[in-house]
Amino acid sequence: MDKLGKFIEGTGDLTGRFVKNEYDPNLTENDETTDVYIAIKLKSENKAFKIEKYIHSYPHCWRTDKPVLYYPLDSWFIKTTALKDRMIEMNNTINWKPESTGSGRFGKWLENLMDWNLSRSRFWGTPLPIWRTEDGKEEICIGSIEELKFEIDKSIKAGFMKSNPWQNLIRRICQMRIII
């Protein structure tokens, strides 16, 4: 499916149809759902052994109440599992108060540690200070304020930026302090 929630080219008579009716402004709750259409089609083509209605929970957006659509996305991970044993070892040296904190919730979290997905595409996601050229040939991760300042100056000299937004921010903060 595409980012609008429609079946993409190459999906036969489903091409252009919304995966979930709730995303199609021309359909109502009385219209046949896409999953029912697919089930009937498979059965009529003798490609399904048995079709049954199965009621189950499905995640919905808390703001729009529409079904959540999942997309495969490229993601950035930190390989925390590579440090799992060391983190458990270090956790055991901490004098936790109460003790159950280290052996309970946090300790159990460490025991079941997974690699950390930094690039969740949610409003609470972790902003990554990584810049990549449009052609993908260059990539830089800014590790400090000094490095950011250096890269901004470099960008201004190369003509990619007209001014340093950092300096403007500092100037505004200084002006606010003078007023206060």
Side-chain angles (χ1 to χ4, degrees):
M1 75 178 139
D2 63 16
K3 299 277 179 160
L4 295 175
K6 292 181 179 183
F7 283 94
I8 59 172
E9 196 67 42
T11 53
D13 61 343
L14 293 170
T15 300
R17 182 172 177 163
F18 283 91
V19 173
K20 295 285 185 184
N21 284 18
E22 290 86 344
Y23 288 91
D24 189 336
N26 301 315
L27 296 180
T28 69
E29 60 185 42
N30 298 325
D31 290 305
E32 179 183 70
T33 62
T34 305
D35 52 348
V36 168
Y37 170 78
I38 291 170
I40 292 170
K41 179 180 167 79
L42 290 173
K43 187 67 173 169
S44 69
E45 294 174 359
N46 206 24
K47 294 180 180 176
F49 173 71
K50 184 177 183 181
I51 304 291
E52 290 181 344
K53 186 171 186 169
Y54 178 76
I55 305 294
H56 61 91
S57 62
Y58 190 89
H60 284 69
C61 174
W62 62 274
R63 288 177 288 127
T64 65
D65 202 34
K66 290 182 178 180
V68 174
L69 302 178
Y70 293 100
Y71 297 89
L73 302 170
D74 290 333
S75 297
W76 291 73
F77 285 85
I78 292 180
K79 191 170 183 158
T80 53
T81 52
L83 302 171
K84 178 180 175 178
D85 293 339
R86 178 72 174 134
M87 286 193 284
I88 291 172
E89 180 186 324
M90 295 302 294
N91 182 53
N92 292 333
T93 67
I94 297 171
N95 185 17
W96 289 100
K97 297 292 181 193
E99 186 179 321
S100 61
T101 304
S103 61
R105 184 176 181 181
F106 187 69
K108 299 293 183 221
W109 178 80
L110 283 175
E111 288 173 18
N112 297 300
L113 188 65
M114 306 285 283
D115 289 334
W116 181 22
N117 182 352
L118 284 173
S119 51
R120 295 177 61 181
S121 57
R122 306 277 191 276
F123 61 88
W124 61 81
T126 305
L128 301 175
I130 298 171
W131 281 268
R132 184 183 285 161
T133 56
E134 288 183 13
D135 61 9
K137 292 182 179 176
E138 290 183 61
E139 186 174 273
I140 186 170
C141 177
I142 305 296
S144 67
I145 291 174
E146 290 76 24
E147 196 175 343
L148 178 60
K149 287 178 184 177
F150 174 78
E151 291 298 329
I152 289 172
D153 289 341
K154 202 165 93 175
S155 180
I156 291 169
K157 287 176 186 165
F160 294 120
M161 295 175 70
K162 293 179 181 173
S163 64
N164 185 336
W166 181 260
Q167 290 301 331
N168 295 337
L169 177 64
I170 292 171
R171 198 173 295 118
R172 276 187 245 128
I173 290 171
C174 290
Q175 287 171 348
M176 287 171 47
R177 288 188 181 155
I178 292 169
I179 294 170
I180 296 172

